[in-house]
Amino acid sequence: MKKLLLQNINYLVTMDEKRRELEGFSLLIEDGVITRVEKDIQAQPEWEVIDAGEYWVFPGLVNTHHHFYQVLTRSWENVQQAELFPWLKNLYPVWARLTPRGVVASTRIALAELLKSGCTTASDHHYVFPRGQDSGLIDYQIETAREMGVRFHPSRGSMSLGEDEGGLPPREIVQKESEILEDSLRLINSYHDPSPYSMCQIVLAPCSPFSVTPELLRETAVLARQYGVRCHTHLAETRDEDDFCQKELGMRPLEFMEKMGWTGGDVWYAHGIHFQDEELEVLARTGTGVAHCPVSNQKLSSGVARIPEMLEKDIPVGLAVDGSASNDGSNMLVEMKSALLLHKLYWGIDSMSARKVLEMATLGGARLLGRPDLGSIAPGQAGDLFMVDRRRVGYAGAQSDPVTALLTCGDSFQSDLTIVAGKILVREGKLVKFAEEDLHREAEKESRTMLEKG
Ligand SMILES: [Zn+2]
C-alpha cells in the first residue's frame, strides 16, 4: 500500500464540513485516499514524506468548463476585438482543421497549465469533430489525461445545426444526430466509471442552443439519464444568444432548455450570465448549476454573471477557465483572482471574498460534477491537493491570511506541488512526468499547421 505523508503543514485549508483551517497538522494519503488529518503522525520508514513546514496546503481545484483544443488558436490576432458570435464564425474554419495530433498536443498543454495552477480535476467540453477526420478525438483526450494522471470529466460535445439550417457553425464541423448519440453511448460504455475516486466520468454536452437541434438536446438528456451521466452545455452567455432564441425558437434560452428536459441537479451550464430574476428561481428550484468563467466573460465582453445572488440562493456554482482561445490561459489561480476582483468591482465590496471564491473552485466544482469525494481535505476524501511555498517573494508581507494571499498576492500564480490521487504530478512548480519544453514544441507545431493552412 503506497503512503504519502505531509508533515507539519504550516497552514492547511481543509474546506471540510466545518471549513477548518489548521496550523501544524499532518496529513496521510494511502492508496490515493486521505486517511488521516492529525496533529502528529509518526512517519514509517517505507512512507514517502514531505516536510510541509513552509507550505500552505489547499484542496485540489476543480475546473468545470474548458475547450482544450483552443490552445492551438490562443491570442489569434483576427479575433481579438470580436464578441462571441463573430469570434466563433472566424474561428470555426480554423478549428475545422483540427487533427488527432492537435487534440493530443493541446490536451497536454491545457492539463499541464491546470496542474501547475493547482487544478487536480479537469472537465473538458470537446464539440469540434471535423468531417472526414478520425471521430475518436475524445478517446485521445482520455488517453492523454490518463498518461498525465489528472482526474478527468470529458464532455462529449456536439454540433448538429449547420449554417444552412439556421445554426451558427459551418456544415464541415456538424455531425448527424444519430452519429452523435451512437458515439456518446460508445464513450459511456467504454470509459464512464461512476465509482468513488473515479479517474474518468463521461458527460454529454451538445454545444449550445444555436448549434444543435431541439431533437438532439431532448434525446441527449434521455440518454444521459438512462446511464446516470451528467449533462452540460453553454447557456445565457450573450445577448446575441437571447436574440437567436427569441427569433428562432420563440422563447428565452432557459425556457427552451427547460422544455428540452435540461434542468435538474445533473445539469450545469457554462457562463449563465443573462438570467432574469425568475430564471434564477428556476435554477434554485431545480438545482441546475452554473460554471462561472470570469476571465472569458470579460475578454469577450459577454457580461457579469449574478454569482453573489446565485450563491445566496444555493444555486450550485463552480469556477472554470473556459476555452483557451477566450481566456487565453488555463490558470485556475488567475481565474480565482479574477472572480474575486470582478464581483467586488461590479456588485460591491462585500459581494465576494477569497474564501467564497475558493469554495466555488473546490466544493462548488465538485458539486457540479457530482463528486462528493472531491473538493475538500478530510479522511475519506480523494488524495487531491496542491501546495504553495509561503517563502516565495510574492507572499512576503502576506502571511497573516494564506487564503486571501493565495488569490491576491503571488508573483507567479503557480502551485509548487500538485498531488492527484496521492501521486506528485508537479514538484517545484514543474511537471514531474513530462519535459515542458517538449509539450510546448509539439503544440506550437500543431498550432502553426492549423493557422497557416488557411
Ligand atoms: Zn465554452
Side-chain angles (χ1 to χ4, degrees):
M1 191 185 274
K2 205 171 164 345
K3 298 187 185 183
L4 173 67
L5 176 67
L6 308 191
Q7 220 164 23
N8 190 28
I9 299 166
N10 179 273
Y11 201 84
L12 171 64
V13 179
T14 65
M15 300 306 291
D16 65 5
E17 277 173 15
K18 293 182 180 152
R19 304 291 186 270
R20 286 184 306 161
E21 296 179 12
L22 308 167
E23 290 179 63
F25 272 63
S26 297
L27 180 163
L28 183 66
I29 303 175
E30 300 181 63
D31 272 349
V33 178
I34 297 167
T35 51
R36 294 166 69 185
V37 179
E38 293 164 21
K39 196 80 192 175
D40 288 303
I41 303 177
Q42 221 41 51
Q44 303 299 312
E46 69 278 15
W47 297 1
E48 186 174 358
V49 179
I50 296 173
D51 175 2
E54 300 292 350
Y55 288 88
W56 297 334
V57 175
F58 304 91
L61 305 176
V62 179
N63 185 47
T64 54
H65 183 68
H66 206 318
H67 311 288
F68 293 165
Y69 72 91
Q70 292 180 7
V71 160
L72 304 176
T73 56
R74 293 206 264 207
S75 305
W76 191 41
E77 57 187 349
N78 296 11
V79 292
Q80 292 312 304
Q81 310 302 338
E83 288 188 11
L84 184 71
F85 276 22
W87 180 90
L88 282 169
K89 280 189 155 290
N90 273 295
L91 279 161
Y92 284 141
V94 184
W95 295 341
R97 296 177 214 130
L98 187 65
T99 63
R101 278 214 312 272
V103 167
V104 171
S106 53
T107 299
R108 283 187 175 151
I109 293 291
L111 291 177
E113 283 184 84
L114 288 168
L115 278 173
K116 280 159 64 75
S117 61
C119 175
T120 53
T121 299
S123 169
D124 190 60
H125 185 180
H126 187 87
Y127 57 84
V128 172
F129 294 86
R131 190 152 294 184
Q133 191 58 262
D134 187 339
S135 64
L137 297 180
I138 290 180
D139 303 65
Y140 293 109
Q141 288 195 307
I142 292 172
E143 203 181 303
T144 307
R146 207 180 271 162
E147 259 171 37
M148 296 189 73
V150 181
R151 231 177 268 283
F152 191 35
H153 285 233
S155 308
R156 204 307 178 180
S158 50
M159 297 198 290
S160 65
L161 188 69
E163 247 171 341
D164 47 345
E165 293 168 321
L168 205 68
R171 279 262 24 116
E172 58 195 309
I173 47 170
V174 303
Q175 294 180 294
K176 283 206 228 75
E177 278 91 7
S178 56
E179 197 182 341
I180 292 163
L181 291 165
E182 246 169 60
D183 195 48
S184 302
L185 183 57
R186 179 188 69 80
L187 287 166
I188 295 170
N189 285 331
S190 310
Y191 300 108
H192 184 68
D193 171 12
S195 57
Y197 316 121
S198 164
M199 293 300 289
C200 184
Q201 295 193 356
I202 300 289
V203 176
L204 300 187
C207 191
S208 63
F210 51 84
S211 59
V212 298
T213 56
E215 295 71 39
L216 182 66
L217 281 168
R218 224 181 273 121
E219 286 177 37
T220 298
V222 170
L223 181 67
R225 286 178 180 136
Q226 201 180 335
Y227 287 85
V229 305
R230 295 199 160 229
C231 294
H232 178 52
T233 190
H234 294 95
L235 204 78
E237 184 175 1
T238 63
R239 297 274 179 221
D240 284 345
E241 177 193 319
D242 280 356
D243 295 345
F244 177 94
C245 290
Q246 289 289 6
K247 189 164 153 261
E248 301 293 327
L249 307 162
M251 57 192 109
R252 289 185 44 77
L254 183 62
E255 192 187 350
F256 171 63
M257 293 310 280
E258 221 185 342
K259 286 203 160 62
M260 296 298 112
W262 271 72
T263 48
D266 55 353
V267 177
W268 88 101
Y269 303 134
H271 307 296
I273 297 168
H274 300 286
F275 288 130
Q276 298 177 342
D277 292 350
E278 61 278 14
E279 293 173 331
L280 290 187
E281 298 308 327
V282 172
L283 298 181
R285 196 180 64 241
T286 57
T288 310
V290 169
H292 177 40
C293 310
V295 173
S296 168
N297 297 164
Q298 289 173 83
K299 178 158 187 203
L300 296 182
S301 194
S302 304
V304 184
R306 299 167 67 174
I307 300 300
E309 283 173 89
M310 289 185 194
L311 295 178
E312 253 169 53
K313 291 177 190 301
D314 197 32
I315 294 167
V317 179
L319 197 69
V321 299
D322 197 11
S324 279
S326 67
N327 184 309
D328 294 343
S330 306
N331 188 311
M332 278 293 277
L333 296 174
V334 170
E335 203 68 35
M336 287 203 292
K337 177 169 190 165
S338 181
L340 177 68
L341 299 183
L342 174 65
H343 295 293
K344 277 183 175 294
L345 172 67
Y346 199 80
W347 305 111
I349 194 70
D350 289 337
S351 66
M352 197 50 73
S353 69
R355 282 172 176 77
K356 275 192 201 170
V357 175
L358 182 64
E359 180 154 343
M360 239 191 278
T362 51
L363 292 170
R367 187 175 173 196
L368 292 190
L369 300 183
R371 296 296 302 262
D373 52 341
L374 307 179
S376 63
I377 292 177
Q381 291 297 87
D384 297 2
L385 53 89
F386 72 101
M387 304 170 60
V388 170
D389 187 338
R390 72 191 190 100
R391 296 164 297 185
R392 279 179 179 268
V393 171
Y395 297 121
Q399 305 286 316
S400 64
D401 179 359
V403 177
T404 301
L406 179 74
L407 273 75
T408 57
C409 306
D411 52 355
S412 68
F413 291 90
Q414 298 278 293
S415 154
D416 289 291
L417 271 109
T418 305
I419 293 169
V420 181
K423 295 191 183 80
I424 302 172
L425 302 185
V426 171
R427 201 193 276 272
E428 290 176 12
K430 290 269 181 201
L431 292 182
V432 173
K433 288 164 66 177
F434 292 83
E436 293 179 15
E437 56 276 23
D438 292 346
L439 304 191
H440 182 276
R441 199 178 313 113
E442 184 189 337
E444 262 305 302
K445 189 168 152 243
E446 295 306 321
S447 169
R448 262 198 314 277
T449 313
M450 216 163 150
L451 292 170
E452 278 166 11
K453 264 194 202 157

